[in-house]
Amino acid sequence: MLIGIDASAGWIKTKTGAENYAKNLILALAKIDRKNQYILYSPGPLDADFGNLPTNFKIKILKYIKFWTHTKLAWEMFRNPPDILFSPSHVLPPLSPKKSVITVHDFAWKYFPEAYSKTSLWLQKVAVERAKRKKAQIIVYTQSTLRDLKKFYKISNSKISFVPMGFDRMHYQKIKACLPAGMACSAEIAGPYILSVGRLEKRKNTAGIIKSYLLLRQERKIKDKLVLVGKPGIGYGEIKNLINGADEIKKDIIETGYVNDKELRVLYSGASLFVFPSLVEGFGFPILEAFAAEIPVVTSNISSMPEVTNGAALLVNPKKPFEIAAAMSQILNKSALRRSLVLKGRSRLKYYSWENCARETLKVFESL
């Protein structure tokens, strides 16, 4: 069987959760499957991790132009269609084989359309509607996304496959290291700190994190700083106003902007706790990253977060800053609770592996 995969995620330099999912899944498929033939379609050279693919994996460069999926990839599907086309990003080209598979990551664009450009919203809408029209098999990796898929598009169960997400826990394992001296705010991050990772925006509830932190700091013995990792997004104006209005505590709220993978790993390892009260998530990779770094987690009791954590984190109403602050206070003041959450987080990681994700995805291909 010839399986074509949109591998453009391996070409993108700065990867988000969806691109990392695609990259790691492709590499895991390369480790477990020697029977089927694969073609990886990309607008340009894939990154170095794709340098040692087995002989049944071929890379085909379709030179980048705007709307690459809808033009170059579509034309290739017309001229040389594989038996199956897999799109890990959930966008199928207008022309695609009868047997096609996509992964739908989330419906954040339905809940927070203001966070997306008009072009992006159009592409998101077209992607799912096109997959439904073409009767593509749809992979989801959380029950939360599955519910949204049925809610918004009423797709039958037979066209949906549940495949557990993968994760490499060794990559974010706790390490002893100092932040690189060249990192802009490394000198400011001294002493204990609470960590938050994600774009500074409304959907990630960054304003709620700051409000809850200001409440937490009313406890005199708590001096932990708040480290916000991520670029500004929609609603950043309110976030900046909250920081500027924090008086003497303002200096303890540190924005790092974008950090590279090595810097992020060091930041996880040094944190006293991880706070992630997002308003909607397709999955929430940072939660697993925190579990791997052995730090306790406070996250939301809505969307996919309860399912991902499965009892290994303190769950809160993300719209109630006092509740978030109280959960953080419990972790910082109760060492037994902290140890318990770390152990539960470590145990929860056993459920997620790229090998299992690849095997279950391969079963989907072979069932068509």
Side-chain angles (χ1 to χ4, degrees), residues 162-183:
F162 183 86
V163 174
M165 175 54 81
F167 185 72
D168 179 7
R169 54 182 164 174
M170 299 302 292
H171 188 70
Y172 284 97
Q173 199 169 35
K174 196 176 190 73
I175 58 173
K176 290 183 178 180
C178 297
L179 286 168
M183 186 176 171

Side-chain angles (χ1 to χ4, degrees), residues 16-310:
T16 62
E19 285 87 30
N20 280 315
Y21 160 82
K23 172 184 171 178
N24 285 296
L25 177 52
I26 292 169
L27 293 175
L29 284 167
K31 289 180 179 178
I32 68 162
D33 189 7
R34 294 292 188 272
K35 181 177 67 174
N36 296 295
Q37 299 297 311
Y38 289 81
I39 299 180
L40 307 182
Y41 305 106
S42 175
L46 301 180
D47 65 37
D49 290 331
F50 291 87
N52 295 307
L53 292 170
T55 55
N56 60 323
F57 275 69
K58 306 295 182 187
I59 298 171
K60 190 163 190 176
I61 305 298
L62 307 173
K63 191 175 179 180
Y64 175 78
I65 61 172
K66 195 172 183 181
F67 297 114
W68 176 85
T69 301
H70 303 268
T71 53
K72 282 293 188 74
L73 186 57
W75 180 242
E76 181 65 20
M77 292 303 100
F78 175 73
R79 293 176 64 243
N80 303 297
D83 298 317
I84 293 174
L85 177 66
F86 175 43
S87 174
S89 65
H90 93 258
V91 182
L92 283 174
L95 301 172
S96 58
K98 185 176 181 181
K99 295 180 179 180
S100 293
V101 182
I102 67 167
T103 298
V104 171
H105 296 272
D106 62 51
F107 287 94
W109 58 278
K110 283 280 192 182
Y111 294 100
F112 291 93
E114 68 274 14
Y116 297 80
S117 67
K118 289 182 179 180
T119 300
S120 182
L121 280 174
W122 176 80
L123 288 172
Q124 295 277 359
K125 182 181 178 183
V126 165
V128 183
E129 290 178 348
R130 180 179 293 160
K132 181 179 179 181
R133 187 172 66 252
K134 289 178 172 290
K135 298 182 179 178
Q137 195 68 22
I138 299 174
I139 290 175
V140 296
Y141 44 75
T142 64
Q143 296 294 331
S144 173
T145 300
L146 189 152
R147 289 192 294 270
D148 280 344
L149 186 59
K150 290 182 176 180
K151 171 184 172 182
F152 294 123
Y153 291 96
K154 296 180 171 56
I155 294 173
S156 67
N157 287 336
S158 64
K159 301 308 296 180
I160 304 172
S161 298
F162 183 86
V163 174
M165 175 54 81
F167 185 72
D168 179 7
R169 54 182 164 174
M170 299 302 292
H171 188 70
Y172 284 97
Q173 199 169 35
K174 196 176 190 73
I175 58 173
K176 290 183 178 180
C178 297
L179 286 168
M183 186 176 171
C185 56
S186 59
E188 300 174 54
I189 307 174
Y193 60 88
I194 295 163
L195 182 66
S196 174
V197 175
R199 192 177 291 274
L200 310 187
E201 64 179 3
K202 182 178 178 181
R203 180 169 77 90
K204 297 293 186 181
N205 197 23
T206 311
I209 293 171
I210 295 168
K211 290 174 183 177
S212 64
Y213 176 70
L214 296 178
L215 289 170
L216 178 69
R217 286 297 302 270
Q218 290 178 19
E219 290 188 44
R220 291 185 179 181
K221 66 178 181 178
I222 292 179
K223 303 297 182 183
D224 297 58
K225 296 179 179 181
L226 175 63
V227 176
L228 303 171
V229 176
K231 295 179 179 180
I234 298 296
Y236 180 69
E238 179 192 0
I239 293 162
K240 198 63 183 175
N241 287 338
L242 283 169
I243 295 173
N244 289 335
D247 299 326
E248 70 276 6
I249 296 176
K250 176 184 175 181
K251 68 182 188 307
D252 291 337
I253 302 175
I254 302 162
E255 299 176 69
T256 68
Y258 170 79
V259 300
N260 64 39
D261 204 48
K262 182 180 179 181
E263 293 166 342
L264 181 59
R265 189 176 178 187
V266 175
L267 284 168
Y268 272 121
S269 295
S272 50
L273 71 85
F274 181 67
V275 60
F276 193 73
S278 180
L279 298 177
V280 61
E281 289 290 329
F283 187 77
F285 269 112
I287 293 171
L288 299 191
E289 293 165 0
F291 284 170
E294 299 184 6
I295 58 173
V297 174
V298 174
T299 191
S300 302
N301 61 4
I302 58 172
S303 191
S304 65
M305 279 74 84
E307 177 186 351
V308 172
T309 56
N310 195 33

